[in-house]
Amino acid sequence: PKAPAGHRRTPRPQAAGPRRPCVSPPFAGAASERPRAHLAGRTLNGYDSSLETKNGVRRDADGTNNPIRIGPMSNHFEGLGKTWLTLLNNPQQELPAVIMDVMKEGKTRGCWQRKDAKTETMVLAWPAETAFRAGVTLHGKADKEIRPVSAYPLLEGAANDMTVEETYAWKNGTEGEVAACCNEGASALWFYSPFFYRDREDLTPGVRHTFLIAGLALGLRRALLDEMTVTEGPDYERYAAEWLARHPGSTRHDVPQLTVDLKGARVLIPGEVASEYQIRVPVTSVEEMTFRDEKVYMLIVEFGLNTPNPLRFPLYAPERVCKIVPKAGDEIDAIIWLQGRIID
C-alpha cells in the first residue's frame, strides 16, 4: 500500500542529563522465591536498550574521516546477505534472478528518484502491490546508464514520529543507517535505510520526522522463558539501593538477585550489529502474504505502550525462519533487522 504523503520536520530540543538505558542481560532462568520486577515499559521508550560505546574513526577511500562507534549494537556491517537468507536457499546463485525480476517488472515513485548535475539514483520495487517486496537501487552518473548497486527486501512500514540522533553513510553513497528515538531522553534505535540518498539532507540531529519503520525476522520462536535473573546494570543498581535502604546493617553481598517477570513484557535488546535486535513481545495481529511462492507472515508488534510515543511496526517473518505458526496473542522471541525511511 502507498504511504500518505508529507513528513514533519519540527526541531525539538534534546533532553538534558544522562540517558536512561535499561538492563540487557541474556535470558536466563530464575527461582520463583526471588524478588520480582516488571521490565515492560521500564524506560522512556518502553524497551531495553543498553548503549555503552566508545568512539573511533573510519577513513574512507575518498580520504574523509567518519566516526564509528565500538560497543553493543555499534558495528556497522555494510552487507545484506543475511536478510536474503530468510528467503533464498543460496542468495549468491538466486539473487541475480530476483534482481532481473525487479528490473523487468518493478515500479518506482517520483519521490524515490533523485537527480542532480552529477548523479542519478532511484529505487525499483517488485511486486508493486504487496507490502513485502524486493527493492533494487539504481545509481550512476547523470544522463548516463544507471546500474544496480544494491538489492534488499523492501519493507512497507508503519508511521512512527522519531527524533534523529545520528547517521552512518555506507560507502556506496546510496544506503546508510539512521539512529532515532521515539521519546526525548531515550536511547536511539538504529535502522537500515535504502533511501539514505534521498533523506540524508533532512536527517539532521535533533530534528523530528515521521519514519516508516518495519522489521524482518531472521529467526522466530515461541517465547521460552517467563522470567530472567538480573545481577548487574542500571535496573539492578536501583533495586539494590532500595533493598539496602530497607535492610539497615546489610552489605552489598547480602542483596539477593533480582528476578524480572517476562510475561507480557515488550523487550528489545540491541545486537552486535547496528539495526539488529533480539526481541520478546506479544503479537498484536497476524496477516499472511507471499513473495515468490514463499509464505510471509506480517506480525504487528508494539513497544512502550505506556509512553507518550509508543513504537509500533510490522514484523515480516518468512515461513522458513519461523519455529511456529505465529498467531495473535502469542509471546515470541525473535532476532530482527530494522528498516526505515522518512515517510514518502
Side-chain angles (χ1 to χ4, degrees):
K2 186 174 181 179
H7 63 270
R8 184 149 55 95
R9 303 179 181 176
T10 306
R12 192 165 184 175
Q14 296 296 300
R19 301 192 182 281
R20 299 172 55 197
C22 188
V23 62
S24 58
F27 292 142
S32 59
E33 307 91 301
R34 294 170 182 158
R36 292 182 172 274
H38 286 275
L39 187 61
R42 178 65 63 84
T43 62
L44 288 175
N45 263 352
Y47 51 74
D48 184 22
S49 52
S50 177
L51 297 174
E52 297 178 2
T53 62
K54 296 182 290 185
N55 295 324
V57 174
R58 181 194 75 192
R59 188 171 181 84
D60 287 343
D62 61 3
T64 58
N65 291 330
N66 288 300
I68 60 173
R69 287 150 48 97
I70 305 166
M73 200 206 62
S74 60
N75 298 312
H76 296 275
F77 178 71
E78 300 185 19
L80 298 165
K82 188 184 297 185
T83 65
W84 284 113
L85 282 171
T86 67
L87 294 159
L88 307 176
N89 294 322
N90 189 327
Q92 188 172 2
Q93 293 183 1
E94 299 175 51
L95 189 54
V98 176
I99 294 173
M100 289 301 298
D101 287 339
V102 177
M103 297 291 288
K104 291 178 181 179
E105 306 292 338
K107 305 294 183 183
T108 187
R109 301 175 184 173
C111 59
W112 290 2
Q113 304 174 38
R114 285 294 181 270
K115 184 177 181 181
D116 57 29
K118 295 183 178 180
T119 62
E120 182 178 0
T121 311
M122 70 166 62
V123 166
L124 290 176
W126 172 85
E129 65 276 6
T130 66
F132 186 96
R133 293 162 284 186
V136 172
T137 299
L138 305 176
H139 178 72
K141 293 182 179 181
D143 300 322
K144 301 285 186 179
E145 183 180 4
I146 56 176
R147 299 178 178 276
V149 295
S150 186
Y152 36 81
L154 182 59
L155 315 176
E156 198 64 34
N160 288 270
D161 290 345
M162 305 175 77
T163 301
V164 178
E165 291 221 348
E166 60 181 298
T167 62
Y168 181 89
W170 284 19
K171 292 180 181 179
N172 65 15
T174 66
E175 303 163 278
E177 289 162 311
V178 181
C181 59
C182 292
N183 296 285
E184 290 184 9
S187 296
L189 288 175
W190 281 98
F191 52 85
Y192 163 79
S193 176
F195 292 88
F196 196 84
Y197 68 93
R198 180 196 70 177
D199 297 340
R200 66 185 307 163
E201 292 182 359
D202 296 321
L203 295 172
T204 304
V207 175
R208 197 161 180 85
H209 295 282
T210 300
F211 289 94
L212 297 176
I213 302 295
L216 174 66
L218 306 178
L220 184 148
R221 69 185 184 191
R222 192 179 310 280
L224 299 182
L225 300 174
D226 293 328
E227 54 186 28
M228 70 179 178
T229 301
V230 179
T231 58
E232 60 182 0
D235 274 1
Y236 182 78
E237 294 303 321
R238 285 192 291 270
Y239 156 73
E242 294 171 0
W243 191 91
L244 289 170
R246 295 195 305 270
H247 298 81
S250 299
T251 69
R252 178 70 178 232
H253 296 292
D254 299 321
V255 179
Q257 292 179 333
L258 171 64
T259 296
V260 176
D261 190 346
L262 292 176
K263 291 181 180 178
R266 301 171 187 272
V267 185
L268 194 155
I269 301 173
E272 295 181 357
V273 177
S275 304
E276 291 185 13
Y277 294 84
Q278 176 183 351
I279 67 170
R280 177 190 172 113
V281 67
V283 176
T284 301
S285 64
V286 180
E287 295 181 24
E288 293 183 14
M289 58 190 66
T290 58
F291 174 80
R292 299 182 88 238
D293 299 323
E294 178 84 19
K295 182 183 292 186
V296 178
Y297 301 103
M298 185 182 75
L299 290 61
I300 299 300
V301 294
E302 301 169 292
F303 298 87
L305 298 184
N306 60 341
T307 67
N309 296 290
L311 176 69
R312 180 177 185 269
F313 60 86
L315 174 61
Y316 298 92
E319 185 177 36
R320 69 174 65 196
V321 307
C322 298
K323 299 294 185 183
I324 61 170
V325 176
K327 298 181 176 61
D330 286 348
E331 295 197 23
I332 60 167
D333 291 333
I335 303 297
I336 71 170
W337 172 74
L338 287 181
Q339 181 183 121
R341 67 181 189 265
I342 292 177
I343 194 168
D344 297 337

